[in-house]
Amino acid sequence: MRLFTIRDYRYLFGAQVISLFGTGLTTVALGLLAYELAGPRAGAVLGTALTIKMVMYVVIAPFAAAYADRLPRRGFLVLLDLLRAGVVLALPFVTEIWHVYVLIALLQASSAAFTPTFQAVIPDIVADKAAYTRALSASQVAYTMESLLSPVLAAVALLFMSFDLLFVGTSVGFAVSALLVLATRIPNARPSAHSGVREKLVAGIGTFVRTPRLRGVMALNMVVAAAGSIVVVNTVNHVRDRLGGSQSDVAWMLAVSGLGTLLAALVLPRLLDRIAERTVMVTGAGVLVAGTLGALLLVAVPAAGWSGTAIVWGVIGVGTALVVTPTGKVLRASVPPNRIPEVFAAQFSLSHLAWLVTYPVAGRLGTAAGLAPAWTVLAVLAAAGAVGALLLWPRRDPDGPADEMESAESVSPSKTTGRRYGPAA
């Protein structure tokens, strides 16, 4: 099945791309707004805004999943897009730093509800297994292209307009995304397997804790965050201070990492048709650990310079795609259809919780003690996550939803190997 022949998927993918680029432009404009309001303290303002973003992502996503089956998903997604459009439109008019914090909290709370709901819709739109694999890859490509092109688009736009007009353009983008979602036929969520809101809030996390393959995914989240923080947080200091590069050199080095992610994401659909997700993701974890060790080598061997940095950043980009892209398939295969929203929301929160741990290590420890100690801690975290994934995710792992595996074992014990690969009792 050709993925983009599916009308509703085309519309949803278009909404995702527009929304992603809008978010990227907002990030650039927000940095300029922070500098206008705070001057030399702009870094502290942005750091606080980033922390608010992570906290919203960790806290809000489970609540969105708890109410997913009570709300019409199409209307909910449209409402969140319109709310984001309104918040972004208000940003150019703020006059106090605390106004920025309030609006960022609203914006990221909306995104925290939008993203896992959107992710949980895709399996209902793209039912074919092979096509769904390609949908996951296309989503990863979209995320990567946004990180590559948003700064370029913003730079070009700023040649012709002031930065506050970027907020206006982003607001229009969110409105267009809402129109595309509105034109899509999105089925409402199936009734949840859990009745109470409190039960739903912890259901997704509980599924991760009880299910071996999802415990492996939790460990892999730490690997991605530990290696990714080196790129996201420390590129600017490494390039400017150690390599003596310019601001544009920082952008190019970030693009190298994004290019690695893009190339791997383009190759992965064919790879995942032949190789198990566990094998691909654990291999990706090994690549990321190698990337963190390579970063430490850059500190120890300054002569590695630009070429060494580009290689390490590219390796981290490739490893990130190898781990992140197949994750949706693993989540979908681990639960029955009526529990997909809660497990996607749990993954959204847990993955960003890992970043909430690694961002301060890369940022605060990197500033206070230097890159070598910070990257040593991140390398240890990445290695621990990779080992944890190997231990927690059994090699012989069933393909179907974990609950179905348990039922099959209880009905036909003679056909099983005696191991449990679904949720533990």
Side-chain angles (χ1 to χ4, degrees), residues 154-189:
V156 172
L158 289 170
L159 294 175
F160 306 98
M161 63 182 70
S162 60
F163 76 87
D164 54 341
L165 290 180
L166 290 180
F167 291 120
V168 176
T170 300
S171 181
V172 172
F174 281 131
V176 172
S177 174
L179 290 175
L180 287 172
V181 172
L182 192 61
T184 305
R185 294 165 296 193
I186 298 176
N188 288 331

Side-chain angles (χ1 to χ4, degrees), residues 269-353:
R270 293 184 182 276
L271 197 63
L272 289 169
D273 286 341
R274 300 189 301 271
I275 303 176
E277 290 83 10
R278 180 188 184 275
T279 302
V280 173
M281 295 172 72
V282 168
T283 300
V287 172
L288 288 172
V289 171
T292 61
L293 295 176
L296 283 174
L297 191 61
L298 293 176
V299 177
V301 185
W306 290 98
S307 58
T309 302
I311 291 171
V312 171
W313 263 231
V315 165
I316 291 176
V318 170
T320 298
L322 291 175
V323 176
V324 171
T325 303
T327 298
K329 282 188 71 177
V330 176
L331 300 183
R332 183 187 184 188
S334 298
V335 294
N338 64 344
R339 295 178 61 190
I340 285 177
E342 67 190 37
V343 80
F344 270 91
Q347 166 61 8
F348 189 78
S349 289
L350 290 169
S351 62
H352 285 91
L353 182 61

